[in-house]
Amino acid sequence: MKTWILFLASLMALNTSASDAILDDSLNVDQVTQFDGIPWGIAILSDQEAIVTIKKGETYKVNLVSGKSQALKGLPEVDSRGQGGLLDVAIPPTFKTQGWVYFTYAKPTKDGANTTLARAKLTNNSLTDWQDVFVTDSATSTTKHYGGRIAFDDKEHVFFSVGDRGVRDNAQDLTNHAGSVIRLNLDGTVPTDNPFVTHANIRNEIWSYGHRNPQGLFYDTDTDTLWSNEHGPRGGDEINLIRPGANYGWPIVSYGKEYWGPINVGEGQTKVGIDNPAKVFIPSIAPSSLIRYRGMLFSNWNGDFLSTALALRHLNKIKIDKNGETTETRYLQHLDERLRSIAQDSKGALYIGTDSGKLLKVTLDNKIALQ
């Protein structure tokens, strides 16, 4: 029965109703600037300025009003092969007092590239005092599934995601960091209340595990909850509520199938002791970043999740009601763009990066009522 309900839900999500079309038409989309490369991460400094990371290993300070961008100096060497590169950028709540900007990137080593959390100070047009806060033990011979999204709570902790690095069993192996969400203090030390901090044979930095490739991570300070979205294989992308110490099942359970044939991955879709996703996407949308909207511009979106999508090229809005039922709406499909990154400013406007190098600003056309 559960599988049948999911199947019906997936069919409904693929159909755009007339009211949805009107909603989509009420969005203004303006191009802020164009990059030579993929804008993987967006960090809003103010409603006039942002920092944008480019996957191949560049970062820019962007004037969101004029569209002018300035390359920032001071970056380390990155491994940009495959899905690696300079990944996310994020501003912690302590930025105004401490001045640190946080980054993730694929750090080249003799064993392969490691997903790495770093920080630096923004000084004029340079990044100074660069520090590798934490280099994960995640290197493999592949160049995929780095994860890399960053989120902060309001208690001076930083979270970041690490993919399974193309080795499925990594996600259940707690002697390395691949396939996990990491939680640290802002200086890279391990919080004393991490779930595995007393386990000698488990990496103490791990907050949750059993992840395939989480490329969206968002901490909702209104509800003190951490959320992720992640890529399934062929089918089975997920949105998850992340709990400390929880196992999210990859590759033991999955809603997806093998790429080489119509064969289910894992032992089934659910299993005792494994957390179930809050939302499953069948077919895959290839989610790439995630926020929970908190703003007045799109006032009836408050509390809804917004995920950018790569394979199905749209902005995905998910409403989760108090019973856990989900309603999905798809926007911006007419752009036919692989949407990579998303951020929200204080006024509620959205900024979206595309794989074609565009930085877009999305606002509401006040002439059309948002239904």
Side-chain angles (χ1 to χ4, degrees), residues 236-264:
D237 298 340
E238 299 176 356
I239 294 178
N240 285 300
L241 170 62
I242 304 300
R243 299 186 305 108
N247 182 359
Y248 290 85
W250 178 255
I252 299 172
V253 297
S254 172
Y255 287 86
K257 298 184 182 300
E258 298 287 359
Y259 288 105
W260 46 266
I263 307 298
N264 294 330

Side-chain angles (χ1 to χ4, degrees), residues 293-302 344-349 364 370:
Y293 186 79
R294 301 291 185 187
M296 293 306 297
L297 185 60
F298 307 101
S299 58
N300 66 337
W301 289 8
N302 257 311
Q344 177 196 323
D345 71 13
S346 70
K347 297 178 181 177
L364 180 63
L370 188 65

Side-chain angles (χ1 to χ4, degrees), residues 6 16 21 35 41 98-99 121 166-167 224 252 282 307 322 324 345 368:
L6 286 167
T16 302
F35 297 104
Q98 299 181 8
K121 298 285 184 71
V167 179
D224 286 327
I252 299 172
I282 302 173
S307 173
K322 61 183 180 180
D345 71 13
I368 303 176

Side-chain angles (χ1 to χ4, degrees), residues 38-39 83 215 231 285-288 308-315 332-333 335-341 352-358 360:
I38 297 171
Q83 295 172 4
Q215 286 202 354
H231 293 258
I285 66 169
S288 49
T308 47
L310 298 168
L312 294 191
R313 299 177 179 238
H314 68 276
L315 177 64
L332 308 182
Q333 290 173 299
L335 298 179
D336 194 27
E337 292 272 8
R338 286 169 57 89
L339 305 184
R340 174 67 61 173
S341 46
I352 295 175
T354 76
D355 274 11
S356 64
K358 297 182 180 69
L360 305 175

Side-chain angles (χ1 to χ4, degrees), residues 103-305:
F103 298 86
T104 47
Y105 73 106
K107 181 181 178 67
T109 72
K110 62 181 179 62
D111 298 318
N114 299 74
T115 301
T116 296
L117 178 73
R119 66 181 183 178
K121 298 285 184 71
L122 178 61
T123 306
N124 297 322
N125 294 322
S126 295
L127 296 168
T128 60
D129 301 322
W130 184 277
Q131 299 176 5
D132 284 345
V133 174
F134 189 73
V135 181
T136 66
D137 177 12
S138 60
T140 67
S141 60
T142 78
T143 59
K144 60 185 179 180
H145 297 183
Y146 289 89
R149 288 292 173 199
I150 306 170
F152 301 96
D153 63 15
D154 54 3
K155 303 174 183 65
E156 299 196 12
H157 299 123
V158 56
F159 301 85
F160 70 102
S161 61
V162 187
D164 70 4
R165 293 306 322 285
V167 179
R168 290 181 176 180
D169 291 344
N170 268 344
Q172 296 294 323
D173 181 357
L174 301 186
T175 65
N176 66 57
H177 297 108
S180 68
V181 172
I182 302 296
R183 179 190 187 236
L184 300 169
N185 296 317
L186 294 180
D187 63 358
T189 57
V190 179
T192 57
D193 60 346
N194 266 14
F196 303 113
V197 76
T198 62
H199 292 256
N201 297 320
I202 297 178
R203 294 301 180 101
N204 297 169
E205 300 85 5
I206 292 175
W207 185 249
S208 64
Y209 65 103
H211 301 285
R212 184 172 182 265
N213 191 23
Q215 286 202 354
L217 197 65
F218 185 82
Y219 193 93
D220 182 10
T221 56
D222 285 13
T223 58
D224 286 327
T225 51
L226 180 68
W227 298 82
S228 78
N229 62 20
E230 64 181 273
H231 293 258
R234 191 162 58 91
D237 298 340
E238 299 176 356
I239 294 178
N240 285 300
L241 170 62
I242 304 300
R243 299 186 305 108
N247 182 359
Y248 290 85
W250 178 255
I252 299 172
V253 297
S254 172
Y255 287 86
K257 298 184 182 300
E258 298 287 359
Y259 288 105
W260 46 266
I263 307 298
N264 294 330
V265 176
E267 303 170 10
Q269 295 178 339
T270 62
K271 188 174 182 178
V272 174
I274 291 175
D275 274 30
N276 296 321
K279 165 68 180 176
V280 177
F281 296 94
I282 302 173
S284 294
I285 66 169
S288 49
S289 59
L290 180 73
I291 64 171
R292 193 170 197 177
Y293 186 79
R294 301 291 185 187
M296 293 306 297
L297 185 60
F298 307 101
S299 58
N300 66 337
W301 289 8
N302 257 311
D304 294 351
F305 293 92

Side-chain angles (χ1 to χ4, degrees), residues 71-103:
L72 300 179
K73 301 176 182 179
L75 290 167
E77 179 186 359
V78 304
D79 187 338
S80 61
R81 295 175 301 159
Q83 295 172 4
L86 182 60
L87 303 174
D88 209 7
V89 56
I91 305 298
T94 57
F95 175 72
K96 288 185 178 179
T97 58
Q98 299 181 8
W100 292 110
V101 179
Y102 284 73
F103 298 86

